[in-house]
Amino acid sequence: MANSNPARMDHREYYEHDDDDSEDEEPRNHHIPRLSPSRKFNGTAAQVVDRYGFIGGKQFTNPEDEHRIPPEILRKRELKWLDMMENWEKWMSKRFKKVKDRCRKGIPSSIRPKAWQYLCGSKFMLDHNRGKYDHYLSLPGDPKCLDDIKKDLDRQFPQHEMFKNKDGYGQEDLFFVLKAYSIHKPEEGYCQAQAPLAALLLMHMPAEQAFWCLVSICEKYLPGYYSPGLEAVQLDGEVLYGLIRKMSPSIHKLLKTQRVEPMSVIY
């Protein structure tokens, strides 16, 4: 999250540079010192949570090597994204290339949860389905799906502060989101591959918003991925395997020698 308040910035400065994003490029080799990943108190090691919520371990980024964007540049980017989301239809219909360019440059962390909802279309779904998520949670659901979901809860990001505790708020919200999805799409029910995606969304937004993001992603971008036969996954695996065979015969030969199948490649 950015430490600045975008509303305090002079809007004239933003609009003067709105059509030119080149001026907000961050200088090279800019570092902001942060606490080291592990410290000792009274001779005992203390767990430190990184800025993404993960507890120690190899995934922790060394603060001394981490490249950070200066706050003043983050403020400019935040304002640009706030303006886009206030006029989303106009930007998507008339200035889509600029939206795409700003996505590739990097969405500020303070804007990211809201931006994801606009980009994937879940904001529209939520606005037109108020109360539906709570209704799903009030239903009993499929006992088999619920049992399978419970078995997988503590397997999702166990080194993340949200999901480390059994029956903690992270695992509870994850259960609710996956239960609601299994009721929303009874023909798909629950698939293990849904859980990491739902957990990742919950790291950035409340449960109801995460649910509609999951619905939008599955319906628009991953249709058929969670069907009982995983037909779409198998098809994409075959396509990927074919591309490897065409573009890199040596790698394809190695995969064949090691008996790595298309489904193994895509996972």
Side-chain angles (χ1 to χ4, degrees):
M1 300 285 284
N3 294 325
S4 58
N5 181 356
R8 295 177 64 89
M9 181 179 174
D10 190 340
H11 283 59
R12 290 173 299 178
E13 180 182 357
Y14 162 55
Y15 285 111
E16 286 174 359
H17 304 302
D18 181 50
D19 292 329
D20 182 8
D21 286 349
S22 61
E23 294 187 17
D24 71 355
E25 291 298 334
E26 61 269 22
R28 295 186 179 183
N29 301 321
H30 184 92
H31 295 80
I32 297 178
R34 301 177 70 240
L35 292 175
S36 90
S38 62
R39 296 189 298 171
K40 286 190 175 181
F41 296 91
N42 298 324
T44 60
Q47 286 187 324
V48 177
V49 178
D50 70 11
R51 67 191 180 103
Y52 303 105
F54 289 94
I55 304 167
K58 295 181 180 179
Q59 83 281 352
F60 193 97
T61 305
N62 186 342
E64 301 302 323
D65 298 332
E66 191 173 8
H67 181 61
R68 303 294 296 276
I69 299 174
E72 61 273 14
I73 292 178
L74 279 176
R75 283 195 292 270
K76 291 182 180 180
R77 292 186 181 178
E78 286 168 347
L79 281 171
K80 291 174 182 178
W81 272 95
L82 288 171
D83 175 72
M84 286 197 301
M85 289 184 287
E86 283 293 321
N87 304 277
W88 190 250
E89 294 299 328
K90 181 190 75 174
W91 279 87
M92 290 297 286
S93 61
K94 298 181 179 180
R95 305 194 64 186
F96 178 74
K97 185 178 183 301
K98 177 64 71 175
V99 177
K100 185 167 65 174
D101 289 343
R102 287 178 178 172
C103 287
R104 290 175 173 174
K105 181 175 288 186
I107 305 173
S109 58
S110 59
I111 304 297
R112 199 168 298 151
K114 189 174 180 180
W116 284 358
Q117 294 169 57
Y118 275 84
L119 288 165
C120 76
S122 68
K123 176 69 166 56
F124 179 86
M125 288 184 169
L126 174 58
D127 289 344
H128 288 77
N129 291 278
R130 293 290 178 182
K132 202 166 187 178
Y133 174 73
D134 290 332
H135 173 65
Y136 287 151
L137 296 186
S138 70
L139 299 176
D142 184 332
K144 184 181 184 307
C145 286
L146 301 185
D147 186 56
D148 289 341
I149 291 171
K150 290 176 181 177
K151 291 176 182 177
D152 287 339
L153 290 178
D154 56 2
R155 300 175 184 174
Q156 313 309 319
F157 303 103
Q159 293 301 312
H160 193 278
E161 61 178 351
M162 277 186 66
F163 305 105
K164 65 176 182 177
N165 295 326
K166 188 174 181 61
D167 300 324
Y169 74 96
Q171 291 194 23
E172 182 180 55
D173 281 347
L174 182 58
F175 174 79
F176 289 151
V177 169
L178 296 173
K179 173 191 173 181
Y181 187 86
S182 71
I183 296 173
H184 179 75
K185 282 284 188 179
E187 66 276 17
E188 292 184 5
Y190 168 68
C191 173
Q192 281 185 324
Q194 296 167 354
L197 177 55
L200 177 64
L201 293 169
L202 283 170
M203 293 178 193
H204 294 82
M205 61 191 75
E208 185 175 15
Q209 296 173 2
F211 166 73
W212 287 111
C213 269
L214 179 65
V215 171
S216 184
I217 291 170
C218 292
E219 291 183 354
K220 294 183 178 181
Y221 305 104
L222 303 174
Y225 260 55
Y226 302 128
S227 62
L230 302 177
E231 293 88 355
V233 178
Q234 295 187 56
L235 177 60
D236 283 354
E238 292 289 353
V239 171
L240 177 59
Y241 212 64
L243 287 172
I244 293 174
R245 180 172 60 247
K246 179 180 179 180
M247 304 304 296
S248 183
S250 60
I251 293 179
H252 177 261
K253 182 178 179 181
L254 176 63
L255 293 175
K256 291 287 287 185
T257 302
Q258 299 298 320
R259 298 181 180 180
V260 177
E261 300 299 324
M263 286 289 285
S264 302
V265 174
I266 200 168
Y267 276 114

